[in-house]
Amino acid sequence: MPDRFTDGEAGRLQTFPPDYPWSGRGIAQQVGNAIPPRLAAHVLAAALGKELDVGILDRCVKRSWKETRNGVEGLLKDTRQS
């Protein structure tokens, strides 16, 4: 039994996709210092005054990094009334 999580396992716990392109040395430190994508989506939505579609977010975190790296249509909805 391993004494600690692998870099990939630690990334998944932080909600990074399994194919996220970590690179260089100190990947464990990169994962530890990173803002988890799921948390970042919630913070960004609040800062922009948008509503986050959690169903779409759930589907996003199950997809590959290559499929979602340029954004996902419909993830954020405007909460302000016109």
Side-chain angles (χ1 to χ4, degrees):
M1 181 146 225
D3 292 340
R4 55 182 238 156
F5 294 113
T6 66
D7 295 338
E9 291 168 335
R12 289 299 296 144
L13 286 170
Q14 290 277 66
T15 71
F16 284 90
D19 65 335
Y20 188 80
W22 302 103
S23 65
R25 305 177 98 194
I27 292 174
Q29 185 170 1
Q30 291 175 43
V31 173
N33 289 339
I35 296 172
R38 220 182 151 90
L39 172 62
H42 284 279
V43 171
L44 181 62
L48 295 175
K50 305 277 184 174
E51 183 179 332
L52 187 66
D53 186 320
V54 180
I56 292 176
L57 181 60
D58 288 342
R59 288 191 296 278
C60 287
V61 298
K62 293 176 183 168
R63 291 168 58 190
S64 76
W65 176 79
K66 288 181 180 181
E67 291 177 299
T68 59
R69 68 183 177 161
N70 293 320
V72 176
E73 191 67 37
L75 185 59
L76 297 175
K77 296 182 266 187
D78 208 347
T79 58
R80 297 179 210 142
Q81 299 294 325
S82 301

